[in-house]
Amino acid sequence: SLNSLATEPDLRGASESALMDHLYRRFSVNDINDVGSDDVTVTREDSGAMKVNVTYDAKTSFFYNISLIVHFDNSVEVPAQ
């Protein structure tokens, strides 16, 4: 989901809110429910590109009282044009 933002032609030069909307729609389609609004940051680089960073932890039951926690931390730059 995240890496494909950089190659999506319609998102080049998109606003922060447009990027966030697109990303959350992809999360919904892929059934990713562990990402909250505090887990995603979008910043404009000096080049005009938008850097999207997603950092979150997903926890799931494994066996009896044992759980698994997966940490996700990834960034991608969406080109300005």
Side-chain angles (χ1 to χ4, degrees):
S1 288
L2 188 60
N3 290 333
S4 63
L5 290 179
T7 59
E8 185 77 33
D10 294 342
L11 294 178
R12 291 177 184 246
S15 68
E16 178 180 338
S17 61
L19 286 172
M20 296 285 276
D21 288 344
H22 193 80
L23 186 59
Y24 280 112
R25 273 188 264 131
R26 287 188 183 195
F27 286 157
S28 178
V29 167
N30 292 320
D31 200 27
I32 299 173
N33 302 315
D34 298 310
V35 180
S37 59
D38 292 341
D39 301 325
V40 179
T41 57
V42 179
T43 54
R44 184 169 302 277
E45 300 290 304
D46 292 337
S47 64
M50 297 293 268
K51 182 176 181 180
V52 181
N53 184 314
V54 179
T55 304
Y56 69 96
D57 293 327
K59 180 179 177 182
T60 187
S61 295
F62 179 63
F63 185 72
Y64 288 107
N65 62 345
I66 299 173
S67 297
L68 298 175
I69 298 175
V70 177
H71 179 74
F72 181 83
D73 186 356
N74 196 10
S75 297
V76 66
E77 270 194 26
V78 179
Q81 289 297 333

